[in-house]
Amino acid sequence: MHDNHGRTIHYLRLSLTGACHMRCTYCRPNYDRNTKSNMMTAAEIETLVRHLVTEHGVTKVRLTGGDPTTRADLVEIIERLAAIDGLCDLAMTTNGLTLKRMAERYAKAGLSRVNVSLDSLDREQFAQITGVDGLRHVIAGIDTAIASGLTPLKINTVVLRDENETQLNPLVQFAADRGIEIRFIELMPMGPLAEQWADRYISADQMRHRLQTAVVRWLPRHQSSDSAKPYTALLRDGREVGVGFITPMSCNFCSACSRIRIAADGMLYPCLMGQPSGSILPALRPRYDPVCLDRALLESLNAKAAEHPQQGFVVMTHIGG
Ligand code: SAM
């Protein structure tokens, strides 16, 4: 598929639910309650993804949310999607809370790999940011996921000024200890939480500056289709670790966008920070209508802007970050 700016779209970010065990202060407003109405079923999700893979060359799907692991039928969804010929990469982004118990089952069902969000290694700060006293469960989940082969596993950390800035060095050491990559993400002004943005935002350059006590050299690596600017960081203790910076605000990567986003209720989002362009549900319910589905997809591709707006419209957990 191509959008109206000539970009090839082959990557689906699919939100399975708006529900999450956590309520990260920068992600989900206090009043947000997930309503489970109108969510796509496992069978509808399979039909949708099969259509995108076989008719439109989508090769990569990332399950997100909310937290995908809150869905009782997640293993079934993974099994259905993993069986689709031509889907090369089936990944998931999660808060990691259930991985200790479930990682092996996800891997057996056909999941390729996971990204796990981890904003602090300080138990109290972790609880304060996420609303859950679950740091040890997330760390155990990360270790189980690595042991289960859900690799390469990447850590995602949103960096907040005067909050978890001091965690940059410990988190890099944590990643180096496990031989995994960590990506530091710039805070985005999303929906009703956008007004806090200016007080909490810190740029990737400032993050790198903060890391100079631990990192002696930054060796740029080839940037794949991924949104992160990847480096191999040479640490003072001689170890090397993969560190990426995701810079939606200081240096957007929209020209390389290869994504289309679909939320759990079937809403199509041409851009993470944009308005929805319509819904694919009428093309799946009461029965699969490929012509109607293509029409909705085309509308969404045509609605993709060259660059994202300065402020996002929706709550991150609804669209699936
Ligand atoms: N629940 C899963 C998780 O915790 O990773 C998946 C959904 S979460 C919305 C996906 C990613 O979006 C997380 O890494 C989260 O930290 C990030 N995120 C949420 N709000 C954000 C914001 N305002 N700016 C930048 N990243 C954000």
Side-chain angles (χ1 to χ4, degrees), residues 8-304:
T8 305
I9 307 299
H10 61 86
Y11 178 11
L12 169 67
R13 308 259 313 186
L14 180 61
S15 171
L16 294 184
T17 173
C20 186
H21 321 84
M22 293 184 178
R23 192 173 282 283
C24 298
T25 53
Y26 56 83
C27 181
R28 212 173 153 210
N30 264 332
Y31 59 79
D32 183 58
R33 297 277 171 273
N34 177 57
T35 53
K36 292 203 167 164
S37 61
N38 259 351
M39 288 211 303
M40 285 185 282
T41 64
E44 287 167 343
I45 289 170
E46 179 189 345
T47 303
L48 168 67
V49 174
R50 191 176 290 284
H51 181 91
L52 284 165
V53 172
T54 56
E55 303 297 323
H56 298 293
V58 165
T59 54
K60 178 172 170 184
V61 173
R62 176 170 296 279
L63 307 176
T64 179
D67 207 85
T69 65
T70 60
R71 267 190 81 139
D73 56 357
L74 176 60
V75 170
E76 179 193 345
I77 292 171
I78 294 170
E79 278 169 353
R80 284 174 177 266
L81 301 191
I84 297 174
D85 265 349
L87 179 58
C88 309
D89 189 11
L90 179 59
M92 178 168 81
T93 301
T94 174
N95 58 35
L97 276 177
T98 65
L99 287 177
K100 182 171 167 43
R101 193 166 43 85
M102 295 297 292
E104 211 174 312
R105 286 186 64 193
Y106 299 150
K108 279 202 178 116
L111 190 67
S112 318
R113 58 201 176 90
V114 287
N115 287 358
V116 182
S117 296
L118 178 59
D119 292 338
S120 180
L121 290 169
D122 175 274
R123 180 179 166 184
E124 273 179 31
Q125 187 176 61
F126 179 96
Q128 192 220 322
I129 293 175
T130 64
V132 176
D133 181 11
L135 176 62
R136 67 184 191 288
H137 299 299
V138 173
I139 293 176
I142 289 169
D143 290 335
T144 310
I146 295 169
S148 304
L150 292 175
T151 53
L153 183 149
K154 294 176 189 163
I155 303 288
N156 285 336
T157 303
V158 176
V159 185
L160 308 166
R161 189 196 297 167
D162 298 333
E163 291 183 58
N164 62 348
E165 267 182 278
T166 51
Q167 289 292 305
L168 292 175
N169 283 332
L171 281 163
V172 164
Q173 303 293 338
F174 177 89
D177 291 345
R178 287 162 176 78
I180 57 179
E181 181 173 331
I182 183 158
R183 289 115 53 90
F184 294 113
I185 306 175
E186 290 180 348
L187 182 68
M188 298 163 70
M190 292 298 290
L193 294 172
E195 59 193 41
Q196 312 171 350
W197 179 81
D199 293 335
R200 307 178 89 186
Y201 171 75
I202 150 164
S203 71
D205 281 350
Q206 292 167 311
M207 295 176 202
R208 272 180 60 174
H209 184 71
R210 274 232 162 236
L211 278 164
Q212 70 189 13
T213 50
V215 177
V216 284
R217 264 181 84 192
W218 294 99
L219 308 167
R221 281 186 302 159
H222 170 70
Q223 183 159 11
S224 62
S225 58
D226 200 287
S227 50
K229 282 200 186 94
Y231 294 87
T232 298
L234 181 60
L235 304 185
R236 281 194 191 283
D237 62 14
R239 292 185 297 170
E240 291 186 348
V241 57
V243 179
F245 295 93
I246 302 184
T247 59
M249 305 313 294
S250 68
C251 178
N252 81 49
F253 35 84
C254 300
S255 63
C257 184
S258 58
R259 303 168 176 198
I260 189 152
R261 294 169 183 273
I262 301 179
D265 59 3
M267 294 305 281
L268 270 157
Y269 289 85
C271 170
L272 178 58
M273 296 180 84
Q275 306 256 25
S277 63
S279 172
I280 45 105
L281 264 197
L284 296 172
R285 231 176 252 180
R287 71 191 64 78
Y288 172 45
D289 178 344
V291 176
C292 177
L293 187 49
D294 281 343
R295 203 178 308 125
L297 288 168
L298 189 65
E299 262 173 46
S300 198
L301 292 175
N302 284 337
K304 268 182 91 72

